[in-house]
């Protein structure tokens, strides 16, 4: 690749692209909702939220100075991130708290990028994050899930036209914003019936001496605020 081609590629990544009409943006939101609301479909699409969830744990663990040992993604849409370091303290608290808000915050960041017209940058950034996460996956199902997700972004980025790229990007961001809301409600329902005794909220309760319900409220506030703010950005309000 010569300097001219490299410059053109860089300009394409950091440049801006036109957004779809507000009606098409709303339509991508409806499609994303259809991928989140029905239970049967959610059992499949939730894998993408799990990638964001465990990626959030892993990224914050690294930023907090912990040693990231590996990430596992399972076919029942659960996951596990293992890091080494002090078993208590701020770093451990931040790591444990990062999972549930991760999808919503990624969606909020994506909405900001799209509101600024950086559609291509969003697609490339998502691909880079998936590639980085792949290095830490420690089981076959996790590798398959991340590779398939990354391949989809690569195919859209390189082979699809600008209109398709835009619709795909908006659909992904809507999915993260909407899909980030449901897991906290699922966790709340499980805990109501005595399930998930070692959930992130329960771990945080032991680390901070705050009731698990406080952390559930925290997860709800983050996800609902991200959906509200991100949705306004996407719709240009």
């Amino acid at each position: 690749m010569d300097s001219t081609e490299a410059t053109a590629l860089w300009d394409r990544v950091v440049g801006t692209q036109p957004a779809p009409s507000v009606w098409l943006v709303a339509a991508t939101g409806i499609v994303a909702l259809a991928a989140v609301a029905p239970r049967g479909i959610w059992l499949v699409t939730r894998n993408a939220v799990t990638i964001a969830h465990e990626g959030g744990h892993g990224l914050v663990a690294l930023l907090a100075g912990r040693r990231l040992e590996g990430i596992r993604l399972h076919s029942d849409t659960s996951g596990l991130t293992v890091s080494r370091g002090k078993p208590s303290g701020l770093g451990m608290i931040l790591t444990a708290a990062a999972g549930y808000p991760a999808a919503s915050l990624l969606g909020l960041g994506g909405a900001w990028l799209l509101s600024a017209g950086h559609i291509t940058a969003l697609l490339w950034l998502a691909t880079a994050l998936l590639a980085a996460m792949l290095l830490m996956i420690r089981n076959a199902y996790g590798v398959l899930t991340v590779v398939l997700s990354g391949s989809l972004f690569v195919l859209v980025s390189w082979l699809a036209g600008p209109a398709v790229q835009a619709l795909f990007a908006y659909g992904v961001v809507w999915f993260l914003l909407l899909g980030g809301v449901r897991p906290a409600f699922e966790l709340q329902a499980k805990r109501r019936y005595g399930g998930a005794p070692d959930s992130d909220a329960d771990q945080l309760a032991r680390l901070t001496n705050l009731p698990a319900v406080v952390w559930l409220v925290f997860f709800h506030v983050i996800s609902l605020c991200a959906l509200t703010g991100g949705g306004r950005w996407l719709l240009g309000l």
Side-chain angles (χ1 to χ4, degrees), residues 46-211:
R46 196 183 193 280
N47 283 283
V49 175
T50 302
I51 291 175
H53 181 113
E54 300 304 332
H57 283 311
L59 177 60
V60 173
L62 290 173
L63 293 176
R66 298 178 63 81
R67 180 181 175 185
L68 183 59
E69 296 287 328
I71 297 172
R72 291 178 175 270
L73 306 174
H74 304 133
S75 58
D76 63 354
T77 72
S78 66
L80 176 66
T81 298
V82 178
S83 63
R84 302 295 181 189
K86 289 180 59 177
S88 60
L90 182 60
M92 188 62 202
I93 293 171
L94 293 175
T95 299
Y100 277 93
S104 296
L105 294 178
L106 283 172
L108 185 62
W112 177 77
L113 282 173
L114 293 181
S115 70
H118 295 296
I119 296 171
T120 302
L122 182 142
L123 296 175
W124 282 54
L125 179 59
T127 304
L129 289 174
L130 288 167
M133 185 173 179
L134 182 61
L135 298 176
M136 299 308 303
I137 298 295
R138 296 293 183 264
N139 67 322
Y141 183 82
V143 169
L144 176 64
T145 303
V146 175
V147 167
L148 288 176
S149 301
S151 298
L152 181 59
F153 277 92
V154 170
L155 289 173
V156 172
S157 299
W158 282 99
L159 301 181
V164 174
Q165 289 184 7
L167 293 176
F168 177 77
Y170 274 84
V172 167
V173 171
W174 273 121
F175 174 79
L176 289 171
L177 291 170
L178 293 165
V181 172
R182 184 163 179 173
F185 283 100
E186 291 178 333
L187 176 58
Q188 183 177 341
K190 288 179 181 178
R191 295 190 74 260
R192 185 181 298 122
Y193 296 103
D198 201 34
S199 69
D200 291 357
D202 292 283
Q203 292 182 46
L204 286 163
R206 291 192 289 270
L207 288 167
T208 63
N209 293 320
L210 293 174

